[in-house]
């Protein structure tokens, strides 16, 4: 059994200004509900527990309190607090909340069609948290998402990492850094999607040149902003600031790319500028596993039912996960919702297992590897003491077509319950399932279902 | 278990394609297909069963213990054997994998009503997606003109292998689309509303009825000149071929049923996302449903109320139901009906219902059950072989037999 260091709460760095601390505290209070009573601990008892970062436990107990996991271990050897609410998981399978590294739910739109490079645009400014698609995610066991702008631009805008808590505004869903800033990456794309008439690139070579020019400007901006004398610093530029964060490694580039040569182009730019990058979709990653392994660049893979649909995806293979595993390349999956349905995210990994990936790596690819791609592995992606209490109770084997998500829990609170008719409607579909604002915590007092 | 040559999937495909084209003697080969479980779709599954294949047909089916294996028969083993799967509605072969102009022949947008367009004039049996779905056990495809125009053209029922592939029905149905997806883009183009769609269709059927009456004139001199468009609809009015009506909203499904009642034409409902709202009416009309892919994207508008349970609710209501891979216009370019069956099974259809919906029930709805859809002596030797429960994601299709020939030996 492993337990968390007693009572330690992640503190803010001493350097954070007191005013920001107060603001953060207020935000935290709002998100949790101002009048929330102290939450009872919960214990999920008796089920098969797949912690991901440690060995499966055939009959296990997961204890959560104050939104965190406090213990994971075999039932009977894992103390359960006397006041804990018991959730019987006998015959069930308990896994960490799933991490989707690439989603378009929430109706958000990033950069527009006015220019090919728009690193200043934030998708978080456009997301409808009452979108039915967000609630369908929790019906599929997803708890953490990277919501991305589309791939029609070279730089489509800033992505946002969200936790699918019950909230009325996007602020309630955000992950934040210690200074209170929303966490997210930067969406980039190459290949055919961003190509069209000027001012967009017409060729792959032009696309790379435009990106290089912009990163050179960002490097220069970053150098000048480091000037000790504030008066000598340039005026703040939101576009260059976002790219400079990528150069500093505090913002990860999430790069749409399909063809093997496009993948190698991203690796070349990364080598030149030193940004941190996750490659997304990677239809032809199976052709260049050695190059990917040498670069140590992680890949987030989409799994779809057939190759093609566009020329760049003609050589897509269900075996990409297996090839990357063999090569030692970190591999996660994503839904690209609406390209694949978030409610069927487990299926992506199951099809990869069909094509030769190990079950262990396939489950990691839905959880901890995705968390690492978002720099959130200290908080989510596995069942470990000290991590956020985000977990999913399944009816059985994660990779069986028959398995259902029975309940989804975020920070210790249930956000999806298949036995609840409103939640079941989202999980299964049916009349009204597509309506937004389909949430009982919305619009207090009214029945808007 | 090994991955399907992951480093070189295209070479594998090429190898398989070459293999199935270079075995000229294979059609006459006698096979004994042994399965731990053989789903005949005629009565209970047979444990430790065998299917004897000769001259492209099924010669015998039964328990291995009591079924003689002809001398010289090649023995093929699998964990589970099913009839070759029947994908009840697809556009594969007209729609190609590249999704570029040159391989997209499923929809002509120049006119709203074109029942004269034949599927056989556009079907490419060498299309990669045909090979792709065949690798997952599909041996019979109902494919043709796509949803997306009021009357987009005809469909056909064809095998997924053969040189040339066996065409079971060259003119299977005529594809009609009601609702938003049946309307062309552009302000001034007709039909622009749901009512207009129905009005145009009624008018065309009336014209065809008139044409049919005049064409039956005993005096040949008084008959109108042959008109392919009206000829096709006249065949519908004569009950020779059904309309395949794609309709998702309950409003559009009701319109379709109203039209069937008014004109007496045979009809098969397609997609039918909100069919669960009209179970009694659909059953009373005697109309079968080829339900949308179980995993259809819910999206917004026409399909936002789609349910994983529609197939099971239709079947529970006593309505004949089949599953389909459907029509996709982006990535993926086609779905796989085997996977759709798996999800339908998990959502109330159960294994028996799901297997039936991709074999014998689909064959009956398509009018080809005398040839395919079950394992019975005398039927075409179309079989799918699996290394486990076919309705699990992690099971592989280890072999596919079409017209008695082992055309792929997976695993996929």
């Amino acid at each position: 059994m492993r337990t968390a260091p007693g009572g330690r709460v992640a503190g803010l760095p001493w350097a954070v200004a007191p005013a920001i601390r107060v603001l953060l505290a207020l935000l935290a209070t709002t998100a949790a509900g101002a009048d929330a009573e102290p939450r009872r601990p919960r214990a999920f008892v008796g089920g098969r527990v797949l912690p991901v970062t440690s060995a499966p436990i055939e009959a296990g107990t997961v204890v959560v309190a104050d939104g965190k996991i406090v213990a994971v271990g075999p039932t009977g050897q894992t103390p359960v607090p006397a006041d804990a609410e018991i959730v019987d998981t006998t015959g069930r399978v308990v896994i960490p909340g799933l991490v989707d590294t690439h989603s378009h739910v929430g109706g958000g739109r990033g950069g527009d069609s006015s220019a090919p490079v728009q690193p200043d645009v934030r998708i978080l400014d456009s997301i409808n948290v009452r979108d039915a698609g967000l609630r369908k995610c929790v019906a599929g066991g997803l708890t953490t998402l990277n919501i991305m702008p589309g791939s029609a631009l070279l730089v489509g805008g800033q992505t946002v990492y969200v936790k699918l808590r019950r909230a009325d505004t996007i602020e309630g869903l955000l992950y934040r850094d210690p200074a209170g800033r929303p966490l997210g990456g930067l969406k980039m794309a190459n290949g055919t999607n961003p190509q069209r008439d000027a001012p967009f690139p017409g060729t792959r070579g032009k696309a790379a040149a435009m990106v290089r020019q912009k990163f050179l400007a960002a490097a220069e901006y970053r150098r000048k902003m480091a000037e000790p004398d504030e008066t000598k610093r340039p005026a703040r530029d939101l576009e260059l600031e976002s790219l400079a964060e990528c150069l500093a490694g505090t913002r990860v580039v999430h790069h749409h790319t399909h063809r093997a040569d496009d993948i190698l182009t991203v690796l070349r730019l990364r080598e030149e500028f030193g940004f941190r990058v996750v490659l997304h979709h990677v239809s032809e990653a199976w052709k260049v596993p050695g190059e990917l392994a040498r670069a140590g660049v992680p890949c987030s893979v989409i799994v779809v039912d057939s190759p093609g649909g566009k020329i760049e995806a003609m050589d897509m293979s269900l075996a990409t996960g297996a090839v990357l595993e063999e090569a030692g390349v970190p591999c996660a999956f994503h839904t690209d919702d609406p390209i694949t349905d978030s409610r069927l995210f487990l299926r992506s990994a199951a099809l990869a297992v069909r094509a030769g990936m190990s079950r262990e790596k396939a489950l990691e690819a839905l959880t901890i590897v995705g968390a690492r791609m978002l720099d959130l592995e200290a908080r989510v992606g596995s069942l470990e003491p000290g991590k956020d209490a985000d977990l999913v109770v399944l009816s059985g084997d994660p990779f069986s077509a028959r398995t259902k998500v029975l309940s989804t829990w975020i920070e210790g609170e249930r956000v999806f319950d298949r036995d609840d008719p409103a939640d079941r409607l989202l999980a299964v579909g049916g009349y009204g399932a597509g309506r937004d604002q389909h949430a009982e915590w919305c619009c207090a007092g009214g029945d808007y279902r | 278990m090994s991955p399907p040559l992951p480093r070189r999937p295209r070479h594998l495909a090429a190898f398989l394609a070459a293999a199935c084209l270079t075995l000229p003697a294979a059609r006459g080969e006698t096979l004994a297909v042994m399965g731990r479980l053989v789903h005949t779709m005629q009565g209970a599954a047979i444990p430790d069963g065998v299917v004897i294949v000769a001259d492209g047909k099924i010669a015998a089916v039964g328990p291995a213990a009591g079924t003689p294996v002809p001398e010289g028969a090649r023995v093929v083993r699998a964990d589970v054997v099913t009839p070759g799967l029947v994908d009840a509605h697809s556009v594969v072969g007209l729609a190609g994998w590249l999704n570029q102009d040159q391989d997209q022949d499923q929809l002509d947008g120049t006119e709203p009503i074109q029942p004269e367009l034949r599927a056989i004039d556009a079907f490419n049996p060498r299309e990669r997606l045909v090979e792709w779905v065949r690798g997952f056990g599909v041996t019979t495809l109902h494919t043709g003109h796509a949803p997306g125009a009021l009357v987009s053209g005809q469909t056909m029922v064809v095998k997924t292998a053969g040189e040339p592939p066996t065409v079971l029905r060259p003119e299977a149905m005529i594809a009609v689309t009601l609702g938003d997806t049946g309307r062309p883009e552009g302000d001034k183009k007709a039909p622009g509303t749901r009512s207009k769609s129905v009005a145009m269709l009624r008018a065309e059927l009336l014209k065809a009825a008139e044409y049919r009456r005049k064409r039956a004139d005993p005096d040949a001199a008084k008959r109108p000149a042959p008109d392919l468009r009206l000829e096709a609809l006249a065949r519908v009015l004569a009950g020779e071929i059904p309309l395949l009506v794609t309709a998702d909203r309950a409003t559009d499904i009701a319109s379709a049923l109203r039209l069937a009642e008014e004109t007496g034409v045979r009809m098969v409902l397609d997609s039918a996302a909100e069919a669960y709202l009209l179970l009694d009416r659909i059953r009373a009309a005697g109309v079968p449903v080829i339900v949308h892919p179980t995993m259809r994207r819910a999206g917004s508008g026409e399909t936002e109320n789609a349910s994983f349970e529609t197939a099971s609710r239709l079947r529970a209501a006593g309505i004949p139901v089949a599953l389909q891979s459907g029509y996709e216009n982006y990535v993926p370019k086609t779905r796989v009906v085997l996977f759709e069956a798996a999800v339908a099974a998990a959502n109330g259809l159960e294994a028996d219902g799901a297997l039936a919906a991709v074999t014998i029930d689909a064959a009956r709805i398509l009018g080809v059950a005398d040839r395919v859809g079950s394992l019975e002596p005398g039927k075409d030797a179309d079989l799918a072989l699996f290394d486990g429960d076919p309705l699990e994601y992690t099971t592989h299709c280890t072999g596919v037999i079409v017209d008695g020939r082992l055309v792929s030996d997976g695993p996929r």
Side-chain angles (χ1 to χ4, degrees):
Chain A
M1 194 192 78
R2 300 167 297 278
T3 50
R8 188 180 65 81
V9 178
L12 294 167
W14 61 272
V16 176
I20 293 177
R21 283 168 166 268
V22 171
L23 183 63
L24 273 180
L26 278 171
L27 283 170
T29 308
T30 311
D35 302 321
E37 291 175 17
R39 290 180 292 182
R40 283 172 66 191
R42 283 199 174 92
F44 299 81
V45 177
R48 177 173 160 82
V49 177
L50 303 176
V52 174
T53 48
S54 57
I57 305 165
E58 291 312 318
T61 292
V62 180
V63 182
V64 308
D66 297 323
K68 298 284 181 185
I69 296 168
V70 295
V72 180
T75 300
Q77 300 171 39
T78 306
V80 173
D83 62 336
E85 179 189 326
I86 304 296
V87 180
D88 182 4
T89 56
T90 307
R92 313 302 194 195
V93 175
V94 181
I95 62 172
L98 305 183
V99 178
D100 184 358
T101 48
H102 188 140
S103 178
H104 300 289
V105 296
R109 302 281 299 277
D112 62 17
S113 56
S114 62
V117 178
Q118 302 186 40
D120 52 330
V121 174
R122 303 188 305 182
I123 191 93
L124 82 83
D125 293 319
S126 68
I127 290 168
N128 172 19
V129 298
R130 294 184 181 81
D131 185 282
L134 284 170
R135 304 323 302 170
K136 288 179 181 173
C137 290
V138 291
L142 281 62
T143 54
T144 292
L145 308 181
N146 176 24
I147 301 181
M148 302 253 265
S151 53
L153 311 183
L154 295 171
V155 179
Q158 296 171 29
T159 81
V160 64
Y161 304 158
V162 301
K163 180 81 76 86
L164 295 173
R165 307 174 189 104
R166 297 188 160 183
D168 289 332
T169 65
I170 187 68
E171 279 73 17
L173 302 185
L174 298 176
Y175 280 93
R176 294 176 182 276
D177 72 6
R181 288 175 301 213
L183 290 175
L186 185 72
K187 176 69 181 283
M188 291 181 62
N190 65 7
T192 53
N193 282 20
Q195 287 182 27
R196 72 199 76 125
D197 293 341
F200 287 80
T203 65
R204 287 178 157 83
K206 176 75 173 181
M210 291 170 84
V211 167
R212 292 183 66 225
Q213 192 68 55
K214 200 71 182 181
F215 269 113
L216 283 174
E220 183 68 6
Y221 176 79
R222 188 173 169 226
R223 191 181 61 74
K224 289 181 180 166
M225 287 301 271
E227 160 69 48
D229 181 351
E230 279 190 39
T231 62
K232 290 186 179 167
R233 292 179 195 164
R236 199 173 161 208
D237 180 315
L238 292 178
E239 287 194 16
L240 296 176
E241 180 176 284
S242 165
L243 293 172
E245 287 166 359
C246 294
L247 296 176
T250 55
R251 182 179 296 281
V252 170
V253 172
H254 292 283
H255 209 302
H256 161 113
T257 184
H258 283 284
R259 239 166 60 174
D261 57 320
D262 289 329
I263 289 171
L264 297 181
T265 295
V266 181
L267 296 185
R268 200 179 307 116
L269 295 176
R270 166 186 168 275
E271 184 73 22
E272 180 178 356
F273 293 102
F275 51 73
R276 296 168 64 217
V277 65
V278 176
L279 302 176
H280 287 254
H281 307 326
V282 292
S283 295
E284 295 188 2
W286 61 267
K287 296 180 178 178
V288 287
E291 288 83 350
L292 288 165
R294 275 191 291 282
V297 168
C299 292
S300 178
V301 175
I302 186 167
V303 180
V304 293
D305 287 11
S306 60
K310 58 179 181 178
I311 288 177
E312 288 180 333
M314 64 191 275
D315 279 353
M316 191 177 268
S317 167
L318 293 177
T320 299
V323 173
L324 294 177
E325 177 181 358
E326 190 185 337
V329 177
C331 169
F333 297 113
H334 63 255
T335 65
D336 202 8
D337 195 332
I339 299 295
T340 70
D341 191 323
S342 293
R343 294 173 297 176
L344 296 161
F345 191 31
L346 288 166
R347 176 177 178 270
S348 294
L351 291 182
V353 170
R354 180 192 193 102
M357 195 176 193
S358 72
R359 288 174 162 259
E360 294 71 25
K361 286 294 177 187
L363 188 59
E364 288 180 22
L366 295 168
T367 54
I368 189 68
V369 179
R372 288 180 193 130
M373 290 176 178
L374 309 182
D375 287 336
L376 296 174
E377 73 273 20
R379 288 192 57 181
V380 299
S382 63
L383 301 178
E384 293 179 71
K387 283 197 172 182
D388 292 0
D390 299 351
L391 50 90
V392 182
V393 180
L394 302 174
S395 62
D397 174 10
F399 302 128
S400 168
R402 289 175 172 75
T403 293
K404 306 286 196 309
V405 172
L406 300 179
S407 60
T408 304
W409 305 73
I410 290 180
E411 293 163 2
E413 299 303 307
R414 186 163 57 195
V415 292
F416 170 77
D417 176 4
R418 194 175 164 92
D419 289 336
D420 179 281
D423 281 2
R424 191 180 189 283
L425 177 63
L426 291 168
V428 172
Y431 203 78
R435 285 185 63 184
D436 296 340
Q437 292 200 325
H438 187 90
E440 62 270 34
W441 66 93
C442 160
C443 322
D447 183 3
Y448 289 85
R449 284 176 203 171
Chain B
M1 200 245 3
S2 60
L5 299 184
R7 291 300 306 277
R8 291 288 181 266
R10 293 184 70 196
H11 293 192
L12 175 65
F15 168 75
L16 292 175
C20 75
L21 294 178
T22 54
L23 296 172
R27 186 168 188 122
E29 192 175 18
T30 301
L31 302 173
V33 183
M34 322 280 282
R36 184 189 57 79
L37 194 63
V38 177
H39 292 280
T40 64
M41 307 316 293
Q42 286 294 113
I46 303 171
D48 292 320
V50 63
V51 183
I52 307 297
V53 170
D55 296 324
K57 297 286 180 182
I58 295 170
V61 185
T67 307
V69 174
E71 199 175 330
R74 176 177 166 198
V75 175
V76 180
R77 293 179 193 281
D79 189 55
V80 176
V81 177
T82 70
L85 306 185
V86 180
D87 184 343
H89 191 197
S90 172
V91 291
V92 162
L94 282 82
W97 65 320
L98 296 179
N99 207 15
Q100 303 297 304
D101 286 348
Q102 79 273 9
D103 75 346
Q104 301 300 296
D105 282 301
Q106 69 277 19
L107 193 61
D108 176 279
T110 57
E111 292 184 65
I113 299 179
Q114 303 190 84
E116 68 275 24
L117 306 190
R118 300 191 305 184
I120 200 167
D121 295 326
F123 178 73
N124 173 14
R126 290 170 192 80
E127 161 56 41
R128 168 110 194 265
L129 292 179
V130 174
E131 184 269 337
W132 181 262
V133 298
R134 188 179 70 214
F136 294 97
V138 176
T139 56
T140 297
L141 275 176
H142 178 214
T143 187
H145 288 92
L150 180 52
V151 181
S152 65
Q154 299 172 15
T155 62
M156 69 193 290
V157 182
V158 62
K159 299 285 182 77
T160 54
E163 191 61 36
T166 306
V167 177
L168 294 172
R169 291 181 70 87
E171 296 170 23
M173 303 190 197
I174 289 179
V176 171
T177 310
L178 299 180
D180 268 354
T181 39
R183 297 205 296 261
E185 291 181 9
D187 286 345
K188 305 293 184 191
K189 285 191 180 171
T193 63
R194 289 181 148 79
S195 297
K196 182 73 172 179
S197 292
V198 176
M200 287 172 69
L201 193 54
R202 291 177 73 220
E204 202 69 16
L205 286 167
L206 282 174
K207 250 168 82 178
E210 184 67 7
Y211 171 82
R212 190 172 166 231
R213 192 181 61 75
K214 289 181 178 166
R215 285 288 290 174
D217 196 302
D219 182 353
K222 291 186 180 168
R223 292 177 201 159
D227 179 311
L228 289 177
R229 184 165 302 180
L230 295 175
E231 197 69 48
L233 291 179
R235 294 190 59 203
V236 171
L237 291 169
E240 291 171 28
I241 47 176
L243 291 182
L244 176 70
V245 181
T246 302
D248 280 309
R249 288 286 190 183
T251 307
D252 301 315
I253 296 171
S255 294
L257 297 178
R258 205 177 296 122
L259 200 73
E261 191 177 8
E262 176 187 336
T263 60
V265 301
R266 286 165 59 209
M267 186 175 285
V268 175
L269 275 172
D270 174 67
S271 199
E274 294 181 5
Y276 52 78
L277 295 175
L278 296 168
L279 295 173
D280 292 342
R281 289 180 66 177
I282 295 169
R283 182 179 44 224
V287 170
V289 180
I290 302 173
V291 76
H292 57 76
T294 311
M295 294 181 275
R296 138 167 266 168
R297 289 189 262 258
S300 59
E302 301 288 280
T303 60
E304 67 178 16
N305 296 319
S307 165
F308 291 140
E309 295 180 337
T310 299
S312 67
R313 293 179 68 180
L314 287 163
R315 184 177 166 92
I319 297 164
V321 60
L323 295 172
Q324 60 171 309
S325 59
Y327 170 54
E328 298 287 340
N329 60 10
Y330 190 49
V331 177
K333 192 56 187 170
T334 189
R335 294 174 179 274
V336 174
V337 80
L338 174 65
F339 300 153
E340 305 300 333
V343 173
N347 284 277
L349 200 54
E350 304 306 334
D352 289 348
L355 272 182
V358 293
T359 55
I360 187 64
D361 290 353
R364 287 190 183 118
I365 291 171
L366 302 179
V368 293
D370 57 327
R371 298 280 302 272
V372 302
S374 62
L375 301 178
E376 295 177 76
K379 280 199 173 185
D380 294 3
D382 295 352
L383 290 80
L385 282 55
F386 299 92
D387 62 3
D389 179 354
L391 300 175
E392 278 294 0
Y393 297 138
T394 49
T395 297
H396 304 91
C397 180
T398 54
V400 182
I401 294 168
V402 179
D403 290 329
R405 291 190 309 151
L406 188 62
V407 294
S408 64
D409 54 3
R412 183 177 281 166

